[in-house]
């Protein structure tokens, strides 16, 4: 694998196919008697979400419109993840169902892309067992989509276009359809160089490629001017931003420059690696109030022994030092983590170390995973794999502990009034809104009687009330109750009427 920077000329060549694709889509629409629709289904992490926004940008540029939730789309793209085995099982489980859809609509276009496509055995399986899949492409091939569509629609042959190369296409050179009107996902780098021994990402996403800070900052200024309130800087290890380039600024500097741009009220970043995060990042967070009061710092294990075999390049002591410094500098902030239970060779003593660190740091929440053996990774060949019953038992104990800590963390904010960025209607009821505090805590809240917005009284029981109208607004919300994974509250006032 090697990094290939895609030139503007080459991109122009792909993008020059768009007008003719648009004509083909228009012809299909009139043939079928309705506008051609699409759906992109996204599995996996925020990087995949960001990729899907680009795929949607390209699909809309050729005249497709998003299918309604219940409808079967004419163009279906499945953007896959392969981080754990159950991600693969889910895709293959779902894929069979689309065969009937394709039977009903012979012109239906089905493509599978994303991280699973970087594994040859998955492509072979699709070639052999899922002949109704029209195209496969890899996570760094999104800019090739116009060419893939052109080949498929023109020659009616299946297209398998997963490149060996790690392409670097600048984000601003492909169309993007942002799914949330308040949030912009902005990758600052692609790929990963860390080769943690359990992880497939370095194999699926290739080597680290940082975007130029000049381009990132220009894009961010534009996004702020367009009215985005929240920006999420994305990368597998944002703290090593720029290290693959000469004369590039550090992540702390990039964060600071982002914070200085007027307009954003929430600057978020994912993911930080404990081996690379600098104290400067923590102090930059302290200095700028528009940087989220939240750090996601995946620990993976509390045992130095296990961490060594995971190839994480930090030990328990170093992790604790960073976590406790963060707690000291930003006591009002939340600290969250990822933990893997049952890594090969994990002893009961190792697991106890994890529980001890969790108790000491008191994570505000954690994503906990059972170790999943990923073909091709180093740990898959480690001899001392842990039996499933042991993993399940340990996992249960960790979950019990973390659930208690998460609940206690939620309880600690009851009675406080916090600034919320409203995300829209909650999943619980149509008159309940959902949003996040500046420390990324999920809040479901009601608007009590007597609250006005832009001089008009809000009546949440009125037939024309739509919680989604408030998406992207900032409000002060009093937290009234702690729940296991969220808090409840009541809106006091809007900030930016
Ligand atoms: N780049 C990020 C993590 C990306 S993957 C980082 O280094 O922190 C997200 C999480 O999935 C990881 O933090 C890890 O906890 C989990 N994960 C990755 N591979 C896994 C595997 N083989 N089994 C179980 N969990 C895994
Ligand atoms: Fe995977 Fe480790 Fe890279 Fe994160 S840093 S993506 S866990 S290899
Ligand atoms: Fe999954 Fe790929 Fe993200 S494997 S977690 S979609 S980088």
């Amino acid at each position: 694998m090697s990094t290939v920077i895609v030139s503007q000329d080459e991109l122009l060549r792909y993008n020059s196919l768009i007008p003719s694709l648009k004509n083909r889509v228009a012809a299909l629409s009139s043939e079928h008697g309705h506008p051609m629709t699409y759906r992109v289904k996204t599995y996996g992490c925020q990087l995949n979400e960001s990729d899907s926004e680009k795929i949607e940008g390209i699909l809309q540029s050729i005249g497709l419109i998003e299918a309604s939730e219940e409808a079967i789309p004419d163009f279906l793209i499945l953007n896959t993840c392969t981080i754990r085995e159950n991600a693969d099982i889910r895709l293959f489980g779902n894929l069979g169902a689309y065969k009937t859809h394709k039977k009903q609509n012979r012109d239906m276009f089905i493509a599978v892309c994303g991280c699973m496509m970087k594994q040859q055995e998955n492509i072979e399986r699709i070639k052999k067992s899922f002949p109704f899949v029209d195209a496969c492409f890899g996570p760094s091939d999104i800019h090739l989509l116009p060419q893939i569509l052109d080949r498929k629609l023109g020659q009616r042959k299946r297209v398998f276009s997963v490149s060996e190369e790690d392409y670097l296409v600048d984000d601003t050179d492909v169309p993007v359809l942002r799914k949330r009107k308040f949030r912009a996902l902005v990758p600052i780098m692609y790929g990963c160089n860390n080769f943690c021994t359990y992880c497939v990402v370095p194999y699926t996403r290739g080597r680290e490629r940082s975007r130029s800070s000049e381009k990132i900052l220009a894009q961010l200024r534009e996004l702020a001017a367009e009215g985005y309130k929240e920006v999420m800087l994305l990368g597998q290890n944002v703290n090593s931003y720029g290290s693959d380039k000469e004369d590039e600024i550090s992540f702390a500097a990039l964060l600071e420059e982002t914070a200085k741009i007027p307009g954003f009220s929430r600057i978020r970043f994912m993911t930080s690696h404990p081996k690379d995060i600098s104290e400067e990042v923590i102090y930059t967070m302290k200095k700028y109030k528009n940087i989220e009061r939240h750090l996601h710092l995946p620990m993976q294990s509390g045992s130095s022994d296990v961490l060594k075999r995971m190839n994480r390049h930090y030990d328990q002591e170093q992790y604790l030092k960073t976590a406790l410094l963060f707690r000291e500098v930003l006591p009002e902030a939340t600290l969250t983590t990822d933990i893997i239970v049952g890594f090969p060779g994990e002893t009961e003593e190792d697991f106890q170390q994890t529980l001890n660190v969790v108790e000491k740091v008191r994570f505000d929440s954690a994503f906990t995973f059972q170790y999943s053996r990923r073909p091709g990774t180093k740990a898959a060949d480690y001899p001392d794999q842990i039996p499933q019953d042991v993993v399940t038992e340990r996992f249960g104990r960790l979950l019990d502990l973390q659930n208690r800590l998460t609940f206690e963390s939620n309880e600690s904010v009851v009675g406080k009034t916090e600034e919320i960025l409203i995300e829209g209607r909650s999943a619980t009821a149509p008159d309940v809104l959902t949003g996040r505090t500046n420390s990324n805590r999920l809040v479901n809240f009601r608007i009590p009687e007597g609250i006005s917005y832009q001089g008009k009284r809000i009546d949440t029981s009125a037939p024309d009330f739509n919680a989604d109208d408030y998406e992207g607004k900032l409000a002060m919300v009093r937290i009234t109750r702690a729940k296991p994974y969220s808090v409840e509250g009541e809106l006091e006032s809007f900030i930016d009427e």
Side-chain angles (χ1 to χ4, degrees):
M1 278 196 278
S2 59
T3 298
V4 175
I5 298 176
V6 180
S7 69
Q8 290 276 349
D9 279 356
E10 201 180 338
L11 272 174
L12 273 178
R13 219 156 21 86
Y14 303 128
N15 292 341
S16 68
L17 297 167
I18 288 177
S20 70
L21 283 168
K22 220 171 170 172
N23 287 339
R24 279 212 196 107
V25 168
L28 281 169
S29 297
S30 57
E31 218 176 282
H32 285 254
H34 65 82
M36 288 288 103
T37 60
Y38 76 87
R39 177 170 309 123
V40 179
K41 280 190 83 157
T42 312
Y43 305 81
C45 63
Q46 267 112 355
L47 283 153
N48 249 19
E49 304 245 341
S50 162
D51 286 347
S52 286
E53 290 190 339
K54 291 175 198 157
I55 295 171
E56 287 202 38
I58 295 173
L59 296 180
Q60 292 213 352
S61 76
I62 64 166
L64 297 170
I65 58 169
E66 191 174 13
S68 61
E69 253 171 60
E70 59 289 350
I72 300 171
D74 299 294
F75 288 69
L76 175 68
I77 317 270
L78 304 167
N79 193 5
T80 63
C81 168
T82 186
I83 196 82
R84 284 167 291 275
E85 193 186 4
N86 53 11
D88 291 10
I89 295 171
R90 202 146 64 107
L91 188 262
F92 284 117
N94 288 346
L95 206 49
Y98 300 117
K99 189 175 175 180
T100 21
H101 296 172
K102 184 90 176 212
K103 267 194 187 145
Q104 286 160 10
N105 174 7
R106 291 184 64 80
D107 283 333
M108 188 174 177
F109 171 85
I110 302 179
V112 184
C113 62
C115 287
M116 270 179 79
M117 293 302 96
K118 274 309 230 333
Q119 284 152 333
Q120 198 52 36
E121 64 275 17
N122 290 331
I123 299 180
E124 292 308 322
R125 192 164 163 193
I126 288 180
K127 273 188 182 161
K128 235 175 85 191
S129 312
F130 300 92
F132 55 89
V133 171
D134 298 293
C136 291
F137 55 99
S140 80
D141 303 322
I142 292 169
H143 62 290
L144 301 175
L145 186 55
Q147 189 191 56
I148 293 168
L149 285 163
D150 182 64
R151 276 163 61 194
K152 172 64 200 167
L153 298 183
Q155 300 159 12
R156 298 198 154 259
K157 274 204 190 112
R158 304 175 85 192
V159 185
F160 292 90
S161 179
V162 181
S163 314
E164 277 289 309
E165 292 83 3
D166 300 334
Y167 287 124
L168 178 59
V169 181
D170 195 75
D171 249 54
T172 41
D173 293 333
V174 275
V176 177
L177 182 99
R178 302 201 183 275
K179 295 302 277 183
R180 303 305 299 256
K181 56 183 177 207
F182 64 92
R183 174 186 297 149
L185 304 175
V186 175
I188 59 169
M189 60 200 295
Y190 304 100
C192 181
N193 284 356
N194 294 304
F195 290 94
C196 301
T197 54
Y198 50 81
C199 185
V200 290
V201 173
Y203 305 95
T204 66
R205 296 266 168 178
R207 294 296 65 72
E208 269 175 21
R209 286 98 75 203
S210 299
R211 292 178 59 204
S212 102
S213 55
E214 222 172 283
K215 282 195 170 174
I216 296 170
L217 290 166
Q219 182 186 17
L220 290 171
R221 275 182 215 108
E222 246 173 61
L223 290 165
E226 284 169 31
Y228 287 93
K229 294 258 175 56
E230 178 179 309
V231 63
M232 197 162 193
L233 307 176
L234 295 175
Q236 289 299 350
N237 174 5
V238 289
N239 310 103
S240 70
Y241 169 78
S243 51
D244 56 316
K245 288 174 128 181
E246 267 171 48
D247 300 330
E248 191 47 279
I249 61 175
S250 69
F251 177 65
L254 181 65
L255 188 60
E256 173 146 23
E257 289 310 309
T258 307
K260 284 188 199 157
I261 298 172
F264 296 128
S265 34
R266 300 279 166 93
I267 297 160
R268 303 170 63 181
F269 53 96
M270 282 267 244
T271 300
S272 291
H273 195 305
K275 81 175 163 72
D276 290 316
I277 189 168
S278 61
E279 294 189 358
E280 216 185 329
V281 169
I282 297 174
Y283 289 111
T284 306
M285 291 176 77
K286 171 97 180 161
K287 192 166 158 196
Y288 294 93
K289 295 275 176 289
N290 54 355
I291 303 178
E292 185 182 55
R293 259 70 194 115
H294 166 226
L295 179 65
H296 186 65
L297 194 64
M299 174 174 85
Q300 314 301 1
S301 169
S303 152
S304 298
D305 243 22
V306 172
L307 288 169
K308 194 163 185 140
R309 277 179 295 114
M310 285 178 162
N311 194 31
R312 292 287 287 178
H313 294 282
Y314 56 88
D315 60 15
Q316 183 197 88
E317 199 185 325
Q318 285 161 316
Y319 187 88
L320 273 170
K321 191 169 162 247
T322 309
L324 299 178
L325 175 76
F326 179 76
R327 288 293 200 208
E328 191 190 313
V329 176
L330 288 154
E332 74 283 20
T334 53
L335 180 60
T336 60
T337 200
D338 292 348
I339 299 170
I340 298 176
V341 175
F343 183 77
E346 182 190 70
T347 62
E348 176 58 29
E349 165 59 22
D350 290 322
F351 179 64
Q352 283 296 337
Q353 300 275 329
T354 298
L355 295 180
N356 290 347
V357 180
V358 168
E359 188 87 68
K360 218 178 249 173
V361 178
R362 298 183 59 83
F363 292 110
D364 296 277
S365 85
F367 292 105
T368 49
F369 306 105
Q370 302 191 7
Y371 168 73
S372 172
R373 198 173 182 171
R374 306 311 290 129
T377 61
K378 226 172 161 184
D381 296 330
Y382 285 1
D384 37 6
Q385 305 283 324
I386 308 291
Q388 184 57 47
D389 57 335
V390 177
V391 179
T392 311
E393 194 274 334
R394 285 182 192 162
F395 187 73
R397 273 190 281 158
L398 175 63
L399 211 58
D400 285 347
L401 169 60
Q402 186 54 53
N403 283 346
R404 173 168 66 77
L405 295 175
T406 304
F407 185 65
E408 285 173 9
S409 161
N410 286 340
E411 270 184 323
S412 73
V413 290
V414 173
K416 291 191 176 158
T417 296
E418 299 222 15
E419 185 194 278
I420 305 293
L421 179 61
I422 302 177
E423 298 193 353
R425 176 201 307 236
S426 82
T428 47
D431 62 338
V432 178
L433 284 78
T434 191
R436 282 175 194 275
T437 64
N438 198 18
S439 53
N440 199 35
R441 219 182 276 279
L442 189 67
V443 189
N444 290 315
F445 60 97
R446 290 183 185 277
I447 305 182
E449 267 179 54
I451 300 281
S452 298
Y453 183 71
Q454 292 180 338
K456 222 180 123 210
R457 285 242 158 160
I458 299 176
D459 176 3
T460 55
S461 59
D464 65 344
F465 173 80
N466 183 358
D468 288 338
D469 291 346
Y470 301 92
E471 180 180 334
K473 311 277 177 229
L474 288 164
M476 297 308 289
V477 170
R478 193 167 53 83
I479 312 295
T480 54
R481 193 169 157 222
K483 305 259 285 183
Y485 305 108
S486 62
V487 293
E488 286 180 357
E490 211 163 76
L491 186 138
E492 286 190 339
S493 58
F494 284 96
I495 297 176
D496 52 348
E497 289 203 27

